[in-house]
Amino acid sequence: MTSTASLAVRLCGTEQHEAPLRTLRAGPLSVAFDNGALRYIRIGTIEILRGISFLVRDENWGTCTPVLDDLRIDERPDAFAIEYRATCAATSGRLVYRARVSGSSDGALSFVTEAEPETDLLTNRTGFVVLHPIADLAGKPVRVLHQDGLERLSHFPDFIDPECPFTDVRALSHEIAPGIWATCTMDGDAFEMEDQRNWSDASYKTYVRPLRRPWPYRLPKGQKFTQAVRLHMSGTLLAPMSENPDPPIKVTIGGPAGRVPRIDKRKLVGAAPVPKWPASPGARCRKVAGFFARITSHFSEG
């Protein structure tokens, strides 16, 4: 008996539908709320951060999907606030946290969580992850405030950095327009950054708890902890930055740009020689092309 996969499975590999994002605004500041996480934090049309998420990663690096309840959202022209309770259940334990998010028209944003393991929890990482976009930031200056209080001027990696560009991070500041700096401060533990282009993701990820510490580690039952990510602007937000926060997206189909080079399997390191197949009628084979590409487009993400 054979069955035909649905169109959703054939296109996306799953029947599960993503819930639509809710955009909240306070003056020029806008964020997209996505099941507890904040995405696409912008001042006007300028993307400041790609995302802020509080994550629970199990001992195998699986990411728990939070189940939200007691969700309350208050939105006014000059401010917004979000509060919710989230439950994260992993094979190695269970954790709940209360989250409070607030944003204001001066560009300030606060995301605070108070977490408590309901059981002992074995985890590789539990806490905040902050994403800076690659576009417009690669190779640009960044001020790094370290846990010891020292601040130094550096640059976001231009070329893909296979190591951690910054460690023991407390805050990161970058210029979003002439004379206007955005500072993202992270509290509750030490943070470090990795260049996610190593894994084909277009962001710099700053995550809690440096990887030089042992992992997995255990969060004891009932031991509460608080973490926070705060964003603020220094300088005057100009009026043009508030205009047209959702510009239309134009897609133009052009002509061929070239051919993807073939892959010579014979030159792969450690590859076994291609066997000579017997030519008997019972051992006929089909010649299969050796290239496959998958492209996933999310037009809602711009």
Side-chain angles (χ1 to χ4, degrees):
M1 180 178 178
T2 60
S3 61
T4 303
S6 68
L7 179 62
V9 170
R10 282 181 283 153
L11 290 177
C12 305
T14 179
E15 294 279 5
Q16 184 175 351
H17 295 278
E18 291 186 2
L21 306 184
R22 175 170 176 177
T23 300
L24 302 172
R25 292 187 172 87
L29 173 67
S30 66
V31 303
F33 183 65
D34 180 14
N35 193 43
L38 302 181
R39 308 204 183 281
Y40 315 118
I41 295 100
R42 294 185 174 98
I43 296 292
T45 59
I46 302 173
E47 185 179 30
I48 310 300
L49 298 175
R50 179 59 52 89
I52 307 174
S53 305
F54 186 91
L55 302 179
V56 175
R57 308 290 299 270
D58 66 20
E59 73 276 20
N60 298 311
W61 290 107
T63 303
C64 301
T65 300
V67 177
L68 272 55
D69 58 66
D70 196 20
L71 173 63
R72 288 171 284 177
I73 299 178
D74 178 28
E75 186 175 14
R76 302 185 299 276
D78 61 346
F80 60 79
I82 308 169
E83 292 188 13
Y84 63 88
R85 180 181 183 274
T87 302
C88 298
T91 56
S92 57
R94 177 184 173 97
L95 176 142
V96 296
Y97 66 89
R98 279 270 177 193
R100 300 188 309 276
V101 178
S102 62
S104 56
S105 57
D106 61 359
L109 180 68
S110 173
F111 193 160
V112 181
T113 61
E114 298 172 350
E116 179 180 0
E118 292 190 328
T119 67
D120 285 354
L121 175 66
L122 191 63
T123 177
N124 284 347
R125 177 182 299 148
T126 292
F128 275 113
V129 169
V130 178
L131 304 180
H132 282 77
I134 296 292
D136 300 324
L137 288 188
K140 297 297 178 63
V142 57
R143 294 174 184 159
V144 184
L145 177 64
H146 294 281
Q147 288 287 322
D148 59 8
L150 294 178
E151 184 180 66
R152 67 186 181 94
L153 181 63
S154 187
H155 293 80
F156 285 103
D158 191 3
F159 297 105
I160 299 174
D161 192 337
E163 299 180 347
C164 292
F166 311 121
T167 60
D168 296 319
V169 176
R170 171 80 192 285
L172 297 166
S173 304
H174 70 279
E175 194 173 35
I176 65 171
I180 303 176
W181 286 73
T183 298
C184 180
T185 303
M186 294 150 281
D187 292 313
D189 204 334
F191 287 73
E192 70 181 12
M193 177 188 285
E194 68 184 16
D195 189 338
Q196 289 215 108
R197 291 175 294 179
N198 284 288
W199 298 273
S200 74
D201 292 340
S203 64
Y204 303 109
K205 180 166 76 173
T206 306
Y207 51 87
V208 74
R209 190 176 169 94
L211 287 175
R212 67 176 181 272
R213 297 183 186 176
W215 50 268
Y217 58 98
R218 191 173 301 278
L219 294 175
K221 175 183 176 180
Q223 184 171 304
K224 299 180 181 180
F225 61 94
T226 301
Q227 292 184 13
V229 174
R230 296 180 176 90
L231 179 70
H232 76 270
M233 307 296 147
S234 60
T236 303
L237 301 184
L238 304 177
M241 299 179 69
S242 304
E243 295 178 0
N244 197 16
D246 293 308
I249 298 173
K250 268 187 186 177
V251 178
T252 303
I253 300 177
R259 291 179 62 87
V260 176
R262 289 184 173 274
I263 298 174
D264 189 347
K265 295 186 290 295
R266 294 170 299 177
K267 294 183 179 180
L268 295 177
V269 176
V274 178
K276 293 184 179 180
W277 298 98
S280 63
R284 293 177 181 171
C285 335
R286 288 183 303 174
K287 190 175 181 181
V288 181
F291 181 81
F292 173 77
R294 173 180 174 176
I295 300 175
T296 304
S297 298
H298 297 282
F299 293 103
S300 63
E301 298 182 2

